[in-house]
Structures are given as structure tokens and as C-alpha cells.
Amino acid sequence: MMIEKIKLIGFRLLVVLTLFVLCVNIGYAEEEEEDVGPYFYDLDKDLQDIADHLAETAGQTNIEFAEMGVPYINAFAMHPNRIAITTGYIKYSMKYTGDYRFTIGTLSHEIGHLVLGHVGGHGKLNYTEDGVANRNQERAADYFGIELMWKAGYDCAYDAQDWSVQISRNPERAQVQGNTHPAMQERLDSSRKLCESLKAGNGVPTDMYFE
């Protein structure tokens, strides 16, 4: 009888200790979650004006834009009508140009993903195991974005200038083609070709490259 009481007391202590540890772990998890980014911010007014003008030119007046507080260079289109550009991309543009010109092509590209239906209901781009389809999706958004820049009254050469700088920063990756994105050199060459055609009054070339 005494042994059973000792076992019962031991079991109760184990339950209490387990609950205590669980509560402590939950508290730590909540604290960590509060500190984990990324955080999203309103765009600077000048950049917001650019983004809104691009969206209006594309006939998309309901897009919500935000700055994602992370240091790397990237931007994202998210379902159903959200686009985020990173702090790193904004600072990169300011560093190399003194203004927002490199963000124009990127925002236009992401608008292209939304307009062309590349973002699924899960909130992300519709990437699959098919690398060709993924890369062609990116090419379509590139071409849409460059034409959109031009229609909105911006110099489409900004896009090629952006790729040129990115290649100069990472020359070893210029010819690297990924499962989701074409190589940077290809994107630079295509950007120049399309922009030159637009400036010559010839519209989008019918032979823009797709795999």
C-alpha cells in the first residue's frame, strides 16, 4: 500500500513537472516569435508613389505594397494582391544610383506575376518541379515588367542597369541557371533587347526567348 502511494505521489510530481516545463517552453516560444522577422513596413512616400503609378498603369489599383525588413536583395508577389520589396533592395538601389530606379523594374516584374496569374491560392508563386515552366514564368514576368516600366514613363534601361550591377557584384553567378530563374546574363541580354525595341517604337519583339 505504501509503495502504491509513493508511486502515485511520484506520478503526480512528474505530471506537475511536465506541465511546468511545457509552460516554460511555451513562454520561450512566444518570446522568440515576437523577435522573429521579417517585419513589414509602409513604403517611403516617394517609393509608394512609384509603386502606385506602376500598378495604375497595369490596371491594378488594389495592390498593397510593403517593405520587408530583411537585408538581402529580393521582392515577392503574394496572393491575392500583395507585393513586398526588401529593405536590402531599396538600400542597394540607393547605394548605386542615389534613387529608387532599380526598384522600378523589380516592382514591375512582381506586378507582372500578379497580372499573369503566377501566384496561387496558397499565397506563393506557382513553382513546380518543372524547371522549364518555372523559368518561362519568370521570363514572362520580366518581359511584362519591362514593357510596364516603359508604358508608365520610366526608362526601361533601368532594368538592364540593375542586372549589370548585380552581375558585377556576383560575376561567378552570371551564367548560372536555376530551377526557378534564368541566368542573370540571359536576363540582362533580354532586357536590353526588349528595351531597345520599345525605344525604337517597335513594341515587344515576337522572338523574345522562352525555352
Side-chain angles (χ1 to χ4, degrees):
M1 189 71 175
M2 180 64 69
I3 293 176
E4 291 180 354
K5 285 184 177 180
I6 292 173
K7 286 183 178 178
L8 180 59
I9 292 171
F11 176 74
R12 287 175 176 173
L13 287 172
L14 180 60
V15 170
V16 170
L17 180 61
T18 301
L19 290 173
F20 174 78
V21 171
L22 179 60
C23 289
V24 170
N25 286 339
I26 290 173
Y28 283 146
E30 288 175 348
E31 289 177 6
E32 290 174 358
E33 186 173 331
E34 288 177 359
D35 293 334
V36 172
Y39 300 105
F40 293 86
Y41 309 97
D42 292 337
L43 296 181
D44 173 83
K45 183 182 182 304
D46 290 341
L47 184 54
Q48 183 67 56
D49 288 344
I50 291 171
D52 288 342
H53 180 54
L54 290 168
E56 290 169 6
T57 302
Q60 305 293 311
T61 57
N62 63 335
I63 298 178
E64 299 175 6
F65 296 93
E67 176 181 340
M68 181 185 290
V70 293
Y72 51 83
I73 300 171
N74 213 334
F76 309 90
M78 297 171 282
H79 183 79
N81 61 341
R82 297 184 178 91
I83 290 175
I85 187 167
T86 64
T87 301
Y89 214 125
I90 296 170
K91 289 184 175 180
Y92 154 75
S93 181
M94 295 299 294
K95 176 180 178 180
Y96 285 93
T97 71
D99 55 37
Y100 293 122
R101 73 184 66 180
F102 285 175
T103 69
I104 297 173
T106 299
L107 292 172
S108 297
H109 172 94
E110 300 304 331
I111 291 171
H113 278 313
L114 292 179
V115 172
L116 298 173
H118 295 165
V119 181
H122 57 296
K124 300 178 181 179
L125 289 177
N126 293 321
Y127 291 136
T128 67
E129 296 300 319
D130 185 348
V132 172
N134 295 337
R135 291 188 294 273
N136 281 340
Q137 179 176 267
E138 291 298 322
R139 292 181 179 107
D142 278 350
Y143 305 156
F144 179 97
I146 294 165
E147 184 179 21
L148 176 59
M149 292 173 66
W150 182 247
K151 287 180 177 179
Y154 298 109
D155 189 347
C156 53
Y158 291 166
D159 186 69
Q161 293 169 12
D162 184 2
W163 287 117
S164 295
V165 173
Q166 293 202 44
I167 289 173
S168 71
R169 287 160 49 99
N170 301 280
E172 73 284 356
R173 297 192 56 80
Q175 302 291 346
V176 177
Q177 177 172 268
N179 183 61
T180 58
H181 289 73
M184 289 192 291
Q185 186 63 55
E186 180 202 312
R187 299 177 85 173
L188 169 59
D189 294 340
S190 293
S191 181
R192 284 173 172 165
K193 174 180 178 177
L194 177 48
C195 185
E196 289 172 1
S197 180
L198 292 172
K199 288 186 173 183
N202 297 324
V204 179
T206 57
D207 60 346
M208 293 303 296
Y209 178 68
F210 288 96
E211 290 182 70

